[in-house]
Structures are given as structure tokens and as C-alpha cells.
Amino acid sequence: AQSVTQLDSHVSVSEGTPVLLRCNYSSSYSPSLFWYVQHPNKGLQLLLKYTSAATLVKGINGFEAEFKKSETSFHLTKPSAHMSDAAEYFCVVSGWPYNNNDMRFGAGTRLTVKP
Amino acid sequence: GAGVSQSPSNKVTEKGKDVELRCDPISGHTALYWYRQSLGQGLEFLIYFQGNSAPDKSGLPSDRFSAERTGGSVSTLTIQRTQQEDSAVYLCASSLGGTGVSYEQYFGPGTRLTVT
């Protein structure tokens, strides 16, 4: 079975500085990986996904993530944080190809952006 | 187009009562998921429906929880004899499903359940 670990429960950055949210996965095969964002009192929204194409994936709002098989990581980055980035971020691994829709969520990382 | 909708948006119930939560997925989506999100916690998988296949119920926390999906569309999550620890936001998501690649999930706004 696959699983995902988000290494930080809370990350705080200043506006305009880089963002790094860390995610490690465990899987016996090449997984599909996703990042979702949840703004306060709003639904979850897909930021980006990796499905065995390019290892560097670009998403919405300037976010990107790099799949590193050797490190079993899929960290989320953004060069310059904006106040509107403050939210909860979830890393997700899927069970494809054995169980296509078995999606497992990490515990989440709360991003705080200071002015 | 219309997204995933859930009703009610908020539900307050007394301990011991039964509740039903409804999810309307995006038209054409064959996969449907239920998750539970407790305060300050991540998402806990509850149950997954894919087309006409038997649902994956491996995440249901107890036999008080059940779900059905009628006609491959609308789904209802039922919690019997509610307990205070059932208080949480219940999220529904749908996706295209199928085989080949993992499809992104589209989430509803959730139902906030409070058991008093």
C-alpha cells in the first residue's frame, strides 16, 4: 500500500520569500502524486499533479513540484510567497496502476505568510 | 459547469440520532469518495465508489457508518446513533475514474456535522 508523509505540520514565511512544503511518499511502484490546497472555509482545489510525465510539474498560482524518485519526494515550492497563499496544503498519492482511485492524503501543512 | 454539491451545508444533531448527508457528483464522473476532516486534522478516507463495482468500505470507522450510491450518481452517507466524536466536516469528491491514469478529484464544499 502507498502512503504519504508531510514533514512539516506548519510552515511560516514572510511575504516575498520562497516557500518549501515537504512531502515524502512510500510506494512499491511509480505513483501518481498531487498537491491540493484548502483555503479557510473553502473547498479543496487541485494545485498540480504528477503522472509519470515530466518530473518538474508546474501548477496554478506559481507553484511547482519536483518528483524525485531516488529521494521518494514530491516537495512543493514557490519562489515568492503572497499573502493569498496562506492556506492548508495536502500532498496526495494514488494507488495507480494497481488501484487507480485509491487516494491517500497526507496530514497537511498549514502555511502562514507574514507581511 | 456545476461542481460537486453537498447538502446540508451544516447539520446540528443530538447524540444518538441518525443523520443523512447527501452528495451530488459532477455529471459523468464514475468515481465518488467520502472523506472526514476533523478540526485541525487531515482528510480521513471513508468510502469509495467506482461505477457499478462493489464499494471500497475499508475506511468506515464503525458499523454505524454506511453509504450508498443510487444509479451511479447521487450518494448518501448515513451515520446511525451519532456520537460526539462524529463531529467533523464530511467531504465528498468525484472524479472521472476508470483505468490508465489517476484523475484529479473535485471536492464539494462539505457538510459540517456537529453532534451535541
Side-chain angles (χ1 to χ4, degrees), chain A residues 6-82:
Chain A
Q6 292 184 243
L7 300 171
D8 307 292
S9 60
H10 185 212
V11 170
S12 181
V13 301
S14 297
E15 190 175 20
T17 64
V19 175
L20 170 63
L21 305 183
R22 299 183 294 166
C23 171
N24 283 97
Y25 69 92
S26 172
S27 179
S28 55
Y29 41 82
S30 245
S32 291
L33 293 154
F34 306 76
W35 277 98
Y36 283 83
V37 61
Q38 185 177 36
H39 290 275
N41 300 315
K42 294 197 175 178
L44 282 131
Q45 180 185 19
L46 180 70
L47 270 180
L48 49 80
K49 64 179 179 181
Y50 165 78
T51 54
S52 76
T55 56
L56 182 62
V57 181
K58 294 188 184 298
I60 61 172
N61 301 334
F63 284 94
E64 61 182 37
E66 186 171 9
F67 173 72
K68 292 187 177 180
K69 187 175 181 178
S70 61
E71 299 176 9
T72 61
S73 70
F74 190 57
H75 301 334
L76 182 70
T77 60
K78 183 173 181 178
S80 176
H82 192 273

Side-chain angles (χ1 to χ4, degrees), chain B residues 63-85:
Chain B
D63 58 9
R64 296 187 295 105
F65 287 73
S66 63
E68 62 178 23
R69 188 179 184 191
T70 54
S73 181
V74 172
S75 177
T76 302
L77 177 68
T78 300
I79 309 173
Q80 295 178 310
R81 306 181 301 283
T82 52
Q83 304 294 313
Q84 287 186 328
E85 60 262 29

